[in-house]
Amino acid sequence: GLVKLWADGLTAEPFVPSTAALELKATLQMEGKTATIRRMRDVPGSGIVAELDTTSEEDLSGSPLYDEHQRVSALLLPQFLGTRYVAFCVPLSHGLEMPAQPLMTVEEWAVRHDRAAEEAYQAALGQIWGEYYDNAARNLEEVVLAKRDFPEAWFHLGYAHAKLGHVDEKIRYYQRAIALKPDYADAHFSLGVSLLLAGKRDDATKEAQTLRTIGASAMADKLSQMIETIHIDGLGKHEEVI
């Protein structure tokens, strides 16, 4: 739900928030009212996502949320979950850490994007955030049928099937995401964990090596540590769906 924009000719100093403002607080200010974080999760492919104890309108997407010192701390991303928009938010760091993409005009960007497929994808992403995995999987299957070259949709389809306990499907969909986007770090990591849990230690090690090659050293270290510490015979006791 986020995109970086560049504008030529601006002379204002760039916005640089304090480090303290990048941490999500239990209580945030939005649109003149106080909102409390109901729960917070680290969702593969999305990072830290927090659900607030309130609803929100879609047109407020991207609005800033403030901490007790009136510093921008998070960005509001409402998601439609069946009957209402639920207020989710992500740390401000999500936006600041987005990797640079090749510059293009808004017109060029619009031509490259399939609005219907991306709206359906965003709806499914909200269902993943809300843990409605059956609905998310169904919607994402429709998305990839309509737009087969959509690596993020394939990745989240794999994640939805992972949460539903479908081992073969999650591996196949992660591999499809990687085929479309070879440097997709989240997909390589999730595939590596899935292969490890399936007892394919050597294949998981290859994914860790690939993560290092594409510059995702933190993910590579995490996966390598899992490979070293998880005893294959005891995977059933330690399995974490990813």
Side-chain angles (χ1 to χ4, degrees):
L2 300 176
V3 63
K4 274 188 177 178
L5 296 177
W6 286 262
D8 291 329
L10 295 182
T11 58
E13 289 294 320
F15 169 62
V16 182
S18 68
T19 303
L22 301 183
E23 299 179 5
L24 279 183
K25 307 297 183 180
T27 301
L28 299 167
Q29 301 294 321
M30 57 175 286
E31 293 295 308
K33 63 180 180 179
T34 299
T36 301
I37 292 179
R38 177 179 294 162
R39 58 177 176 168
M40 191 157 50
R41 300 169 54 223
D42 190 352
V43 181
S46 297
I48 298 297
V49 177
E51 180 182 346
L52 304 175
D53 64 343
T54 185
T55 58
S56 179
E57 299 300 323
E58 180 184 17
D59 58 7
L60 294 178
S61 183
S63 297
L65 299 176
Y66 302 89
D67 63 14
E68 69 273 19
H69 302 294
Q70 291 303 301
R71 297 175 302 202
V72 177
S73 178
L75 300 172
L76 181 65
L77 291 175
Q79 299 288 344
F80 186 71
L81 298 182
T83 58
R84 72 194 192 287
Y85 280 93
V86 175
F88 289 93
C89 71
V90 298
L92 179 62
S93 56
H94 276 28
L96 299 177
E97 294 169 358
M98 286 174 63
Q101 301 293 324
L103 290 176
M104 66 183 75
T105 66
V106 172
E107 290 80 8
E108 290 170 333
W109 180 83
V111 168
R112 292 179 55 177
H113 287 73
D114 184 323
R115 180 170 180 172
E118 293 204 3
E119 287 181 350
Y121 167 71
Q122 288 295 333
L125 190 59
Q127 290 164 340
I128 285 177
W129 289 2
E131 300 182 327
Y132 296 100
Y133 299 115
D134 277 317
N135 292 339
R138 285 194 294 269
N139 287 331
L140 287 165
E141 284 163 1
E142 293 181 6
V143 171
V144 296
L145 282 175
K147 184 175 172 60
R148 303 197 70 82
D149 58 342
F150 197 159
E152 292 81 9
W154 285 105
F155 170 77
H156 283 100
L157 179 58
Y159 179 68
H161 278 282
K163 298 301 274 186
L164 294 170
H166 303 158
V167 176
D168 292 339
E169 288 86 349
K170 70 174 179 179
I171 290 176
R172 183 167 68 250
Y173 295 142
Y174 290 150
Q175 291 171 330
R176 177 63 176 166
I178 291 169
L180 291 168
K181 188 177 178 181
D183 61 349
Y184 199 162
D186 286 306
H188 281 291
F189 178 78
S190 292
L191 176 60
V193 175
S194 299
L195 292 169
L196 181 60
L197 295 175
K200 300 179 180 180
R201 188 186 184 95
D202 291 343
D203 290 336
T205 301
K206 291 179 182 178
E207 294 304 317
Q209 294 169 345
T210 299
L211 284 166
R212 295 195 190 285
T213 300
I214 63 177
S217 57
M219 288 186 179
D221 290 343
K222 185 176 179 180
L223 179 56
S224 296
Q225 185 177 17
M226 293 177 69
I227 293 170
E228 291 300 320
T229 58
I230 294 180
H231 191 281
I232 300 301
D233 292 337
L235 285 177
K237 299 178 182 178
H238 303 290
E239 180 168 350
E240 178 182 353
V241 177
I242 190 169

